Amino acid sequence: MTERQRLVEAVRNTLFEEMARDDSVVVYGQDVGRNGGVFRATQGLIDEYPNRVYDAPVAEAGIVGLGVGLGTYGFTPVPEIEFSGFMHQAFHQIQQHVARLRSRTRGELNCPMTIRAPYGGGIRALEHHSESFEAGYAHTPGLKVVVPSTPADAKGLLTSSIRDPDPVVFFEPTRLYRAFREEVPEGDYTVPLGEADVVREGEDVTVVAWGAMRHRAFDAAESVDASVEVVDPRSIVPFDTETVLESVRKTGRCVVVHEAPKTGGMAAEITARINDRALYYLEAPVQRVTGYDVPYPLFAREDEYVPDESRIRRGIERSLSG
Amino acid sequence: MPRETAYELSIDYVQVLEPDGSVDAELEPDLSEDDLLEMYWTMRRSRRLDERAIALQRRGELGTYAPAIGQEAAQAGSAHALADEDWMVTSFRETPAYLARGTPPQMLLWYAMGMEEGSATTRESRNMPPSIPVGSQALHGAGLGWAQEIAGEDAASLVYFGDGATSEGDVYEATNLAGVFDAHTVFLCQNNQYAISVPRTKQTRAETLAQKAAAAGIEGVQVDGNDVLGTYAVVRDALESARAGDPVFVEALTYRRSLHTTSDDPSVYRHEEEEDEWETRDPVVRFETYLRERGVLDDDRIVDVQESIEEELREEIQAANEGRESVDAEEMFDYAFETPIPELERQRTEFRDAASEGENR
């Protein structure tokens, strides 16, 4: 059975289902209670689970830090950070405590926390509301980093994340919350973390893209005169390197697309992995189509900053001409 | 327009045991001889472990170590008030507290030897591992206390931090959130007068640190932290309050008589007169005087205690050294995730290959 849902609805329904399945799940964060979250991802949860859904004060470090205590105690905290741009206020808790708890205690304590946060641009929001900092979290050992790009994946990946014994940062692309509906499987449905989705098969060039960029990459692939394979990794950590390598060994070319700044972004890491293990299959240098190394601009310049279909197309063409 | 008082604030100060060993009979907690001896034993053990650890560090056998010399009463008194089902959350200077909770000295030595084995803990022990960033663990204590409230557990969490930590946002967030969520948390601020070299007076313009609780709407109280009976009594009451959903902030006034850590030189920023003055308020001496007057201790028993501590520490140091011999570097790959992720497994293989090449050389 399936039902047509938007991404935000898939997230909300998953939260309902996981709270029903496991009474250790606790949802909390700024405005997640009465208001149902600024994107309405938690709407109605507090009515169903008044003792496991909490409005929290404006305190990102506090929200994440309390999760360490909840998780250690035996709960499964699923906090929402209202916008991922404000997760920096909690980054020290994530980096110094959440991600390290298992290592520091030799596997005795763990924090099975899933930190949900809207991420990425495209909704003409205020300053600091659109950043795409997945590489910073991927650079934090002990943490899993997940980015769904479709409603069905949002359900499957969020379910896996909540059930995962390790801490997960779950980035929800704001641009996609209400962008379209698609069939979402009903009932128990999981997508394993670390398994890429080959969105579109092709022979000439591989494009790797996630979040909102996956859809732009797909559109660009449709519009060029070549056979383009599009791979959506679905999780940044663990990253399905094998699927990307397999695709690159077949096509000999690769373009990596992300919204984040170029320097030190995930595209650099993916390029390095291709260089390590598939260099001699390459017909051309790996191309990066990314945001620029400037602070994320206000929305008057946002469309020029974020890779669009034509920039991705040019990246593909550069790769094909190399 | 005349101003009216919107809110009035006062902070209680508690002292049960005077520096000369005399006691306020009205406030004196009802503790058995065994309890008293246990607290004394913890304080003496901790003092000796710290002294030995400093010596071991000087000989290059330990890494950086943070002694709690001078703060034994604040920690032994507070930790002794904990029940088995309570959680303890510490910073990096809590040797007396860990000893009071049954952590073997060997573990503390391992941690100072740079081994994660020393910060291993168990869910059953309800002790968190030491937290090195200043004040960040206050939130974990608040989270545990909140969990106890949600779970309806008749237990509490005690979180330790120093005076410097009260300048960190996390400590304020922790007290505030604990208040909002009725967390079963007691915040124990050991005001040992210095954050490394910066004196308490430069940490805040507030008259007391306990009054910081007022901004979060929770109770704040000050206690003489060199008075083990007073600290015990205040923290025992605070834990009772916390178990009912009313968190408490306790400021224990004490003094770090030794180094911040073994890499610190306090002579640069402290005065001898001040050190001499606090020496007269030493928590171990004060408690010993009281116990002698109560007839619980005499010269012979003190010698017995000292000998048993020396014997124990000899064995624990030996066990720690033996354990160090068996450190397997590859185990660093074991605990990042419950199930290793592919990239980490590849790196483990690389590590293994590099190690075996090293052996072949």
Side-chain angles (χ1 to χ4, degrees), chain B residues 170-236:
Chain B
D170 280 12
V171 169
Y172 173 69
E173 289 191 26
T175 52
N176 190 57
L177 286 158
V180 167
F181 289 132
D182 306 326
H184 295 198
T185 307
V186 174
F187 299 95
L188 183 73
C189 174
Q190 292 172 82
N191 174 0
N192 71 8
Q193 312 300 333
Y194 284 90
I196 305 190
S197 68
V198 177
R200 144 74 182 84
T201 47
K202 289 193 177 167
Q203 211 59 239
T204 174
R205 200 157 129 174
E207 192 72 22
T208 70
L209 299 178
Q211 77 201 58
K212 300 220 164 199
I218 68 173
E219 188 194 344
V221 59
Q222 237 186 17
V223 62
D224 179 347
N226 282 13
D227 160 10
V228 69
L229 298 178
T231 308
Y232 167 81
V234 165
V235 173
R236 178 201 56 197

Side-chain angles (χ1 to χ4, degrees), chain A residues 62 72 93 97 104 106 108, chain B residues 119 121 123 130 136 173 331:
Chain A
T72 296
Q93 284 289 339
H97 294 292
R104 333 184 34 237
R106 309 283 289 174
E108 272 290 321
Chain B
S119 59
T121 181
R123 209 170 276 281
S136 55
E173 289 191 26
E331 280 183 25

Side-chain angles (χ1 to χ4, degrees), chain A residues 104-105 108-109, chain B residues 107 119-123 125-129:
Chain A
R104 333 184 34 237
T105 62
E108 272 290 321
L109 301 181
Chain B
M107 298 284 282
S119 59
T121 181
T122 61
R123 209 170 276 281
S125 74
R126 298 203 154 193
N127 293 335
M128 288 289 270

Side-chain angles (χ1 to χ4, degrees), chain B residues 77-297:
Chain B
S78 54
H80 197 78
L82 286 166
D84 288 345
E85 59 272 22
D86 295 332
W87 277 87
M88 182 177 87
V89 183
T90 69
S91 84
F92 48 82
R93 197 190 302 288
E94 268 70 67
T95 299
Y98 277 113
L99 294 177
R101 288 277 277 182
T103 303
Q106 176 188 316
M107 298 284 282
L108 306 172
L109 292 165
W110 270 347
Y111 191 67
M113 287 173 173
M115 294 158 59
E116 281 84 1
E117 283 82 347
S119 59
T121 181
T122 61
R123 209 170 276 281
E124 296 72 42
S125 74
R126 298 203 154 193
N127 293 335
M128 288 289 270
S131 176
I132 304 293
V134 173
S136 55
Q137 77 281 3
L139 285 165
H140 312 157
L144 281 161
W146 184 26
Q148 289 166 322
E149 168 69 12
I150 297 172
E153 195 188 32
D154 186 21
S157 298
L158 177 63
V159 49
Y160 289 88
F161 49 88
D163 41 314
T166 61
S167 303
E168 292 275 4
D170 280 12
V171 169
Y172 173 69
E173 289 191 26
T175 52
N176 190 57
L177 286 158
V180 167
F181 289 132
D182 306 326
H184 295 198
T185 307
V186 174
F187 299 95
L188 183 73
C189 174
Q190 292 172 82
N191 174 0
N192 71 8
Q193 312 300 333
Y194 284 90
I196 305 190
S197 68
V198 177
R200 144 74 182 84
T201 47
K202 289 193 177 167
Q203 211 59 239
T204 174
R205 200 157 129 174
E207 192 72 22
T208 70
L209 299 178
Q211 77 201 58
K212 300 220 164 199
I218 68 173
E219 188 194 344
V221 59
Q222 237 186 17
V223 62
D224 179 347
N226 282 13
D227 160 10
V228 69
L229 298 178
T231 308
Y232 167 81
V234 165
V235 173
R236 178 201 56 197
D237 293 350
L239 286 165
E240 265 319 294
S241 165
R243 288 184 186 106
D246 294 314
V248 181
F249 185 109
V250 178
E251 176 187 4
L253 289 163
T254 181
Y255 189 74
R256 171 189 19 105
R257 292 197 51 204
S258 184
L259 321 149
H260 165 67
T261 69
T262 43
S263 40
D264 170 48
D265 174 12
S267 71
V268 174
Y269 54 87
R270 275 197 324 217
H271 302 289
E272 245 176 75
E273 309 85 72
E274 181 186 281
E275 292 180 358
D276 292 346
E277 194 214 323
W278 278 95
E279 188 177 353
T280 65
R281 296 190 237 169
D282 188 274
V284 181
V285 176
R286 186 190 305 191
F287 193 38
E288 208 168 87
T289 309
Y290 164 82
L291 292 173
R292 276 176 190 273
E293 278 170 20
R294 232 183 111 143
V296 177
L297 271 188

